[in-house]
Amino acid sequence: MREKLMIANQMRKLRKVYSNNPKDKRLCSKCYYTYIIECIIKGKENFKISFGGKYVTSFPNRIYNYYRYILESIYRFFLMHFAPNNDNTPLKYRLIHYGVSKPVHCKIAEMPNEVMLYGFLKVNGFKITGEHLYSDSTVYDVAKA
């Protein structure tokens, strides 16, 4: 346990001076916090660092797409139950017969600076043993060197 605390203290000190770039500092902090949670609190020897993804479209556009989806769903309900059957404009015909399609928002995996990650872990006595690339996240398996 003392060895783990010494490594954690070394990581804490080194994350502040390892790089001046704010993204790299966040990367080092993420490694440090993951080590604290997984190895010290949970008592594991190895840990995994995961980096989530980000959406391709902006947040206001995604909200607007869902807003339109809800309005078209309400309008479809109105058309199916209260509108006369003889009105066949293209929008109404599409809504009645095909329904409203739910908005699709793509998410891509956010790639960290791997040179910085490898270097920071190597200085602290760790190495990356595996890398798992998913469509919306990236996970690195980290073990002692």
Side-chain angles (χ1 to χ4, degrees), residues 72 75-76 79 85-100:
E72 286 184 0
Y75 186 58
R76 180 177 189 259
L79 285 177
N85 291 336
N86 59 0
D87 190 9
N88 287 329
T89 60
L91 175 66
K92 292 179 182 179
Y93 185 83
R94 181 182 60 84
L95 284 176
I96 290 172
H97 294 288
Y98 298 115
V100 181

Side-chain angles (χ1 to χ4, degrees), residues 61-77:
N61 287 343
R62 294 193 314 265
I63 294 296
Y64 178 70
N65 289 342
Y66 275 105
Y67 172 72
R68 279 189 26 220
Y69 170 70
I70 291 169
L71 285 182
E72 286 184 0
S73 297
I74 293 169
Y75 186 58
R76 180 177 189 259
F77 178 80

Side-chain angles (χ1 to χ4, degrees), residues 37-49:
I37 291 171
E38 294 294 320
C39 293
I40 293 179
I41 295 175
K42 293 183 180 177
K44 297 179 180 177
E45 293 299 318
N46 303 330
F47 61 99
K48 294 181 180 188
I49 301 174

Side-chain angles (χ1 to χ4, degrees), residues 30 49-56 105-112 132-140:
K30 185 168 187 131
I49 301 174
S50 63
F51 298 94
K54 61 181 180 179
Y55 286 101
V56 175
H105 298 116
C106 298
K107 198 174 190 182
I108 58 171
E110 190 173 353
M111 294 301 294
H132 307 283
L133 300 174
Y134 302 113
S135 62
D136 61 347
S137 66
T138 305
V139 179
Y140 294 98

Side-chain angles (χ1 to χ4, degrees), residues 1-8 35 39-41 43 45:
M1 185 61 152
R2 264 197 184 150
E3 181 185 349
K4 288 182 180 181
L5 291 174
M6 286 176 29
I7 292 172
Y35 179 77
C39 293
I40 293 179
I41 295 175
E45 293 299 318

